[in-house]
Amino acid sequence: MENDLILVGIDETGYGAIAGPITVCVCIVKPEFRQQLQDMNFRDSKACSPEERYRIATWIVENKACEWVIINEPVSVIEKIGPWDSVCKAARTALVLLSNQLGFSGELERFDIMLDGRFPLKGIPDHISNRSKIAADETILEVKIASILAKVHRDFYMDQMANLYPVYEWDKNKGYGIGKHLEALYYYGPMPEHR
């Protein structure tokens, strides 16, 4: 890999949910914050408590330690093109926005894209570095942070939706098909946020 490429971590959350969006985050760690973030020795979003995720995300935001873009792909898109294509669509959009944010005018050639999972992103031209790694959210700092930022963002969204549709308890299950959510779905049927 060329040394001048910028590593961009990508992760998603909400893929297996039955309600709410799929949320994708693309993230770059600013070099001057890399060591400090590594020293925090935090885990990926699935292994962190909600309080820990929020604390880490708040620190990153307050210190401007990273550049990132988050995209929510709504239920209407997920139902039309499927979960994996929704992840790829959101990630491509977020990468272009991140490139513009950095002043690269949409030139993804500057990026070394690293996605958590089994497959690289669809729809990325062959000349652009586009890789994937299983459990990258456990080992690669940029992907860990993308995981946490995406999860905090989506959890907040689902908490807001829980205020509109309290019977599904989305503030507790975040739209996944467990417990009271399934029970309420059986008795009350689906809402617009259901897939």
Side-chain angles (χ1 to χ4, degrees), residues 3-179:
N3 292 331
D4 58 348
L5 292 181
I6 300 168
L7 182 59
V8 182
I10 304 179
D11 203 5
E12 57 75 26
T13 187
Y15 191 94
I18 62 171
I22 286 175
T23 302
V24 175
C25 179
V26 302
C27 175
I28 291 169
V29 174
K30 293 180 180 177
E32 62 269 29
F33 288 98
R34 173 170 292 282
Q35 190 60 55
Q36 200 168 354
L37 285 163
Q38 286 175 332
D39 290 346
M40 289 182 184
N41 201 29
F42 56 83
R43 301 163 295 170
D44 70 282
S45 67
K46 294 184 289 295
C48 292
S49 69
E51 295 76 21
E52 189 178 4
R53 286 193 296 264
Y54 183 78
R55 179 181 56 78
I56 294 164
T58 300
W59 189 93
I60 289 167
V61 171
E62 288 178 349
N63 289 279
K64 300 178 180 172
C66 301
E67 297 279 355
W68 72 91
V69 173
I70 294 175
I71 300 285
N72 273 342
E73 210 59 72
V75 170
S76 58
V77 172
I78 299 167
E79 288 187 325
K80 185 175 181 182
I81 66 176
W84 173 238
D85 283 346
S86 297
V87 168
C88 293
K89 177 179 179 292
R92 290 191 304 266
T93 301
L95 284 165
V96 171
L97 291 173
L98 182 64
S99 174
N100 289 334
Q101 192 170 297
L102 295 170
F104 297 160
S105 303
E107 296 175 13
L108 302 187
E109 292 84 356
R110 304 283 296 272
F111 292 154
D112 174 18
I113 299 166
M114 174 57 75
L115 177 70
D116 178 53
R118 191 177 306 272
F119 304 106
L121 288 176
K122 289 170 63 176
I124 299 293
D126 290 341
H127 67 282
I128 294 170
S129 176
N130 177 25
R131 304 178 291 147
S132 63
K133 181 180 179 183
I134 293 172
D137 59 351
E138 297 173 12
T139 58
I140 297 172
L141 183 61
E142 285 79 359
V143 182
K144 281 186 191 182
I145 293 171
S147 170
I148 286 170
L149 294 176
K151 180 72 172 143
V152 169
H153 184 88
R154 187 179 186 278
D155 282 0
F156 179 78
Y157 178 87
M158 294 309 294
D159 289 347
Q160 299 307 302
M161 290 299 99
N163 292 330
L164 294 177
Y165 308 107
V167 70
Y168 299 98
E169 295 190 353
W170 287 338
D171 54 322
K172 296 181 176 69
N173 57 57
K174 308 307 180 195
Y176 287 84
I178 56 174

